[in-house]
Amino acid sequence: MADRSRVQKKSDERMVSPLSSTEKRKPRTITRIRADQEIVADETFSIVSYNMLAQAYCREESFPYTAHQNLRAKHRIINSCSEFLQLDADILCIQEMDEYSKWNKTFARWGYEGLYFKRSGRKKDGCAIFYRDAKFKCIEVKTVALNDMGPTFQRDNVGLIAILEFNSRRICVATVHLWWNPSYPEVKLQQMRYFMNCIELFNVEKCPLILTGDFNSMPDSAVYEFIRKAKVHAHHPELRALVPRENANDPNEANFLDDLETMSHSYTSLKSGYGDLPTGNGEPQFTNYTRNFIGTLDYIFYESSHFDIVDVLEIPDASELSKEKFLPSSEYPSDHLSLCISLHLLSKPT
């Protein structure tokens, strides 16, 4: 990971007061994957994916087990600032960020440039990418409104894609927040196909890809299989029982079951930063920890033909998170956990 000495940087005084309960939180463990001499620091960077839980969704009826003060904006901003500073990453991909203009000023004080795309409709949050301006230069950016898929896909989800220059080389960083509803796996799969197609059309130079986000999909889902294998089996268990929706007036949705066999993307070497580690333990047991759901929904994928993974930030144990029953809590401001990995950009593709 990046140098943790930067944790002592001063927070934006207009947004936060001195850190409180988060100072007591046990630091998360960093597991080194590669320790050989071939790793050059200037060719290595850390990247985060984090659903920070928009304040607009931080309601007591949604999180009745969380103490009232831990849902208040002031407390959550303090803890979120602490989270970001402890992560100290070179690139942060954030979902459910609201109040972007304020956060952008804070990140600028920490040495970051920001990109943002607000969700469609009346939603107040969106996706953001922050990158260290001393290490990266933004060459081009594309916003993706998943509502553009058609009239039956109006879920107001969005994604963001950026081409960043890094040591005179370019990488493609993408982040997305898919629809939440577990009863509609085909909608999420269609959203993912559309987003991957947008990446392919935008990333014409075939810059090495890093794909992050809250995919609202478990490791055994069709979305996960599609990302990792660049295709999805027509008899995937999540899709096997589907029948065409009665309201499928959009040809893209009505013909969904017919074109599964041809659904694909060109990024065939994508691996998961957590799920494909040499330890062979697979994805974490959870990245989302609430009363109604405990499971893994968030991922960082990277092209293994262009990157080597150097280290990962471990996920806290359930015993730690359950001290206050579930998330959010006094120490964790979101119902999701942040993911962070370090990648080494290979001099030649493998």
Side-chain angles (χ1 to χ4, degrees):
M1 299 294 170
D3 181 7
R4 289 310 193 260
S5 64
R6 296 193 186 95
V7 171
Q8 300 302 320
K9 286 182 179 179
K10 189 175 183 181
S11 302
D12 186 339
E13 293 177 351
R14 290 175 296 180
M15 289 194 65
V16 302
S17 57
L19 301 181
S20 55
S21 61
T22 52
E23 293 178 326
K24 303 175 184 178
R25 194 173 84 187
K26 181 181 177 181
R28 290 166 63 180
T29 302
I30 300 170
T31 298
R32 188 78 171 180
I33 307 302
R34 289 195 58 179
D36 55 293
Q37 299 301 316
E38 296 178 9
I39 299 298
V40 180
D42 290 344
E43 297 174 353
T44 301
F45 59 90
S46 54
I47 183 166
V48 159
S49 185
Y50 184 41
N51 181 328
M52 67 180 295
L53 180 59
Q55 188 62 34
Y57 309 138
C58 213
R59 300 183 290 264
E60 290 191 17
E61 56 266 33
S62 300
F63 307 104
Y65 49 82
T66 301
H68 173 73
Q69 66 269 19
N70 296 333
L71 296 177
R72 295 178 59 191
K74 182 178 180 180
H75 179 88
R76 295 188 64 245
I77 288 171
I78 292 172
N79 281 3
S80 295
C81 284
S82 178
E83 180 81 20
F84 294 135
L85 289 171
Q86 287 181 31
L87 290 166
D88 194 35
D90 296 311
I91 303 172
L92 297 102
C93 299
I94 304 172
Q95 305 84 44
E96 285 198 24
M97 172 170 274
D98 49 8
E99 299 289 347
Y100 170 74
S101 60
K102 295 179 181 179
W103 278 112
N104 194 36
K105 292 176 182 177
T106 299
F107 273 94
R109 289 173 178 260
W110 296 338
Y112 294 89
E113 291 283 345
L115 307 168
Y116 183 71
F117 188 39
K118 181 179 173 292
R119 291 181 67 185
S120 309
R122 298 182 179 181
K123 306 294 185 182
K124 297 182 179 180
D125 62 300
C127 291
I129 297 175
F130 293 95
Y131 57 92
R132 291 196 193 279
D133 56 13
K135 199 164 188 174
F136 299 92
K137 176 183 177 182
C138 184
I139 303 301
E140 196 174 2
V141 62
K142 178 178 178 58
T143 58
V144 179
L146 299 182
N147 280 1
D148 292 344
M149 295 170 59
T152 58
F153 291 97
Q154 304 302 296
R155 274 79 178 186
D156 300 333
N157 296 103
V158 298
L160 191 60
I161 315 167
I163 303 296
L164 302 181
E165 192 168 80
F166 171 63
N167 283 352
S168 301
R169 299 172 66 188
R170 294 181 178 182
I171 61 174
C172 181
V173 177
T175 192
V176 69
H177 189 185
L178 300 185
W179 196 37
W180 67 272
N181 197 324
S183 298
Y184 288 79
E186 77 278 21
V187 172
K188 287 182 276 192
L189 183 57
Q190 288 280 49
Q191 286 182 326
M192 197 64 235
R193 176 173 70 167
Y194 182 80
F195 189 62
M196 293 302 295
N197 185 56
C198 289
I199 294 173
E200 291 173 331
L201 294 174
F202 175 70
N203 187 20
V204 292
E205 297 181 10
K206 303 297 181 184
C207 302
L209 173 66
I210 307 169
L211 172 64
T212 74
D214 176 0
F215 299 87
N216 272 312
S217 303
M218 296 282 280
D220 60 354
S221 67
V223 165
Y224 188 93
E225 180 176 304
F226 176 65
I227 294 170
R228 280 285 285 104
K229 297 183 178 180
K231 59 183 179 179
V232 62
H233 199 283
H235 299 291
H236 188 283
E238 195 176 46
L239 307 174
R240 189 183 302 153
L242 290 178
V243 294
R245 304 286 183 186
E246 293 180 359
N247 63 344
N249 299 317
D250 189 316
N252 289 329
E253 186 167 350
N255 298 332
F256 168 73
L257 295 175
D258 297 329
D259 63 9
L260 275 176
E261 294 288 356
T262 60
M263 185 180 293
S264 64
H265 65 77
S266 61
Y267 294 98
T268 56
S269 72
L270 284 176
K271 287 189 176 181
S272 169
Y274 285 74
D276 291 302
L277 292 175
T279 56
N281 294 331
E283 295 291 352
Q285 290 185 333
F286 47 78
T287 61
N288 184 237
Y289 198 86
T290 69
R291 185 175 68 179
N292 295 328
F293 178 82
I294 297 175
T296 298
L297 303 174
D298 309 86
Y299 309 94
I300 303 176
F301 300 99
Y302 65 94
E303 281 194 274
S304 58
S305 57
H306 292 278
F307 298 101
D308 269 346
I309 190 163
V310 178
D311 55 36
V312 300
L313 186 66
E314 294 292 338
I315 299 297
D317 292 335
S319 59
E320 178 183 347
L321 301 183
S322 61
K323 290 177 181 177
E324 298 177 48
K325 297 183 179 179
F326 304 101
L327 301 183
S329 66
S330 63
E331 298 183 349
Y332 292 89
S334 175
D335 56 334
H336 289 251
L337 295 165
S338 57
L339 307 180
C340 185
I341 67 174
S342 290
L343 294 171
H344 175 242
L345 182 59
L346 300 175
S347 56
K348 295 181 181 179
T350 58

